Amino acid sequence: MGRDRGVRRFGAALLICAVGIGLLSCSGPTDPLPTETPTPTRARPASDIVPVPIAYAPLRGTLADGAALAHPSIGVKIDNHEEARPQIALNRSDIAFEELVEGGITRYAVVWHADVPDEVGPVRSIRPMDPDILTPFGGPVAYSGGQDVFVEMMMSTGLPNLVFDYDETGLFYRADDRPGPHDVILLAKEGVGRYLELGPPPTQFVFGGTDPLADPAYAAQPTSHIALVFSDARFPSWDWDAATGAWLRSQEGVPESEASGERVRATNVVTLRVGIDWSWGEVPRTVLDGGGEAWVSAAGRTAHGTWSKASREAPIVLTADDGTPLRLAPGNTWVELVPNEGGVTFAP
């Protein structure tokens, strides 16, 4: 019995050793135990970590590097004569306004901030509604010239005015491959760089998710086609392209592309009914003091509401029929300033 007890003790010792060896290594021979305590690796102090300042682009509602947004926007008068097409870098803009000018044609007041191109154009002259459109953004405004009274109106806003007619710094040039006067090109990024002390623009619209009008309270209607009539000479349209999640632009029934070859597109189309003031003779002035009827088209839907603007410096406020803010999807926006006498149609 004593011998059996000794055998059992020896077997138990072997078992304990086997378990210990197994804990050290489950495959192959074990490494020798360290004779010195290893020096622990020093953790990187928080002060050495440089965070990326993420922010929302104020005019697009999209996430971006905050440091890359720390500059002003630039508003530019862009030509829309047939001989001015294709325009440069429209798809990189944050907000583009289409306005009626003399002869029944339209021009654009375009604002770039989140993605300022090296060059934009063709640049054309200022009109009496442009101070009301561009003042709320607070950045420099570029145009080719204009009637003295309209230039004085724009100068009186206090915004930096970059004017081709007066420029002696090389900020503008004439493109050899474009017919005059539709050939003036602006070095936009350089223009912005001259006024970094102004800082970024304030937010203009309220943004929601990628389908901001899905809430039944908006009573938004499915929309595949937007048809607008400014005059007999200008009747742009937009078609919803679900594959790209964008509205695609046409003019007078012809698909419109920009100079890059890309189809002109928008995440949001905001349509405003506006009055026209003919106090300036043949030059119409879009009336933006007050308010009127509005529609927001985003993610293949259109919701109805109203717009208002309290002052020249104030942004346009969009309100749904239920009294809540009309929200836009994150991305670029086109604002169509359609005269009350014009046409607005939304097809399902």
Side-chain angles (χ1 to χ4, degrees), residues 78-88 90 105-108 121-124 178-185 234 251 256-259:
I78 298 294
D79 200 348
N80 191 33
H81 190 278
E82 286 82 355
E83 293 186 355
R85 303 171 190 168
Q87 293 91 347
I88 301 170
L90 289 178
I105 65 174
T106 61
R107 284 187 186 168
Y108 305 144
V123 181
R124 286 305 299 271
R178 291 176 178 266
H182 316 290
D183 57 349
V184 177
I185 308 301
R234 286 291 179 270
Q251 291 205 78
E256 182 179 7
S257 296
E258 60 168 28

Side-chain angles (χ1 to χ4, degrees), residues 24-25 33 50 72 82 85 101 104 107 112 140 168 178-179 197 213-214 258 276 292 308 334 338 348:
L24 290 173
S25 175
L33 294 175
V50 180
E82 286 82 355
R85 303 171 190 168
V101 295
R107 284 187 186 168
W112 283 270
E168 297 180 354
R178 291 176 178 266
E197 73 279 3
L213 306 176
E258 60 168 28
I276 300 296
S308 62
W334 275 67
V338 181

Side-chain angles (χ1 to χ4, degrees), residues 93-258:
S93 68
D94 294 64
I95 305 177
F97 296 83
E98 185 169 18
E99 60 187 32
L100 182 70
V101 295
E102 61 274 21
I105 65 174
T106 61
R107 284 187 186 168
Y108 305 144
V110 185
V111 181
W112 283 270
H113 175 246
D115 181 16
V116 180
D118 291 334
E119 298 182 350
V120 301
V123 181
R124 286 305 299 271
S125 53
I126 207 75
R127 289 295 181 270
M129 55 279 199
D130 294 323
D132 294 331
I133 293 173
L134 296 172
T135 298
F137 297 94
V141 175
Y143 52 98
S144 64
Q147 294 185 30
D148 289 346
V149 62
F150 303 149
V151 172
E152 290 171 5
M153 290 168 63
M154 195 71 246
M155 294 281 190
S156 71
T157 64
L159 300 177
N161 280 229
L162 310 177
V163 188
F164 171 69
D165 288 354
Y166 310 148
D167 180 62
E168 297 180 354
T169 66
L171 199 58
F172 299 83
Y173 73 91
R174 289 191 181 274
D176 293 336
D177 59 344
R178 291 176 178 266
H182 316 290
D183 57 349
V184 177
I185 308 301
L186 168 71
L187 304 181
K189 185 170 289 187
E190 182 177 335
V192 168
R194 296 182 182 185
Y195 299 97
L196 296 181
E197 73 279 3
L198 294 179
T203 299
Q204 301 293 304
F205 298 119
V206 179
F207 293 94
T210 55
D211 191 1
L213 306 176
D215 189 328
Y218 286 121
Q221 299 300 308
T223 306
S224 63
H225 182 75
I226 305 169
L228 309 172
V229 178
F230 282 78
S231 69
D232 291 341
R234 286 291 179 270
F235 40 96
S237 61
W238 297 88
D239 291 286
W240 175 246
D241 181 31
T244 59
W247 300 96
L248 304 181
R249 182 174 169 85
S250 298
Q251 291 205 78
E252 292 69 74
V254 178
E256 182 179 7
S257 296
E258 60 168 28

